[in-house]
Amino acid sequence: KELADDCTLDLVPHDHFYEVFPPRLVELHSHWLDWDRNVLLFRPIDFKKKAVSFVFWVETGECNEVPQHLQEAPLEELLDSSCLGDRLVWPESEVINVLSKFEQADFIHAYVQREGPHT
């Protein structure tokens, strides 16, 4: 557990995510769950570093990359921002199926341009 801004974040073991996220997002990040906001935050493995690289919205299943200039922003500002980055394309999508003919699917990370703020 960690107190961050005005909330408590729970560290979730990475082995829970191998079936859900690409290996890069599982192995190169720590995963912090904010129960109140229903979001999963992807941060560096080093617990002293608080930068958020990706935000996964549990209710919608949308995972957005966080632009470099927002990664250190307070959590409330980060989650309310309409400036979050592009949305991750899930491994079972047709785009990944096509690209996997040229590269192993585990190493493909495709994004769709985000349209407006998260709802």
Side-chain angles (χ1 to χ4, degrees):
K1 286 197 183 283
E2 173 183 307
L3 294 176
D5 299 331
D6 62 343
C7 67
T8 301
L9 302 176
D10 286 326
L11 179 62
V12 182
H14 69 268
D15 57 340
H16 290 276
F17 300 112
Y18 280 106
E19 299 283 325
V20 181
F21 298 107
R24 176 178 160 254
L25 293 184
V26 176
E27 296 170 4
L28 300 180
H29 296 86
S30 60
H31 309 92
W32 296 85
L33 186 60
D34 179 342
W35 292 97
D36 294 332
R37 294 179 182 95
N38 217 13
V39 294
L40 183 68
L41 307 173
F42 292 76
R43 299 187 343 192
I45 291 175
D46 181 352
F47 72 94
K48 293 179 186 177
K49 296 181 180 178
K50 310 291 185 193
V52 177
S53 302
F54 292 87
V55 175
F56 176 72
W57 306 88
V58 176
E59 289 181 13
T60 64
E62 184 177 311
C63 186
N64 294 97
E65 188 172 28
V66 177
Q68 187 77 28
H69 70 279
L70 286 176
Q71 290 184 358
E72 299 281 347
L75 188 56
E76 194 65 36
E77 179 183 334
L78 175 79
L79 297 178
D80 287 342
S81 175
S82 61
C83 299
L84 279 176
D86 297 337
R87 182 174 45 88
L88 181 69
V89 175
W90 295 110
E92 61 275 354
S93 73
E94 187 60 31
V95 171
I96 302 298
N97 288 337
V98 170
L99 293 174
S100 66
K101 294 178 171 111
F102 305 100
E103 178 66 74
Q104 185 177 346
D106 285 348
F107 299 112
I108 299 171
H109 302 99
Y111 298 90
V112 174
Q113 187 173 17
R114 185 181 168 119
E115 298 176 18
H118 178 78
T119 53

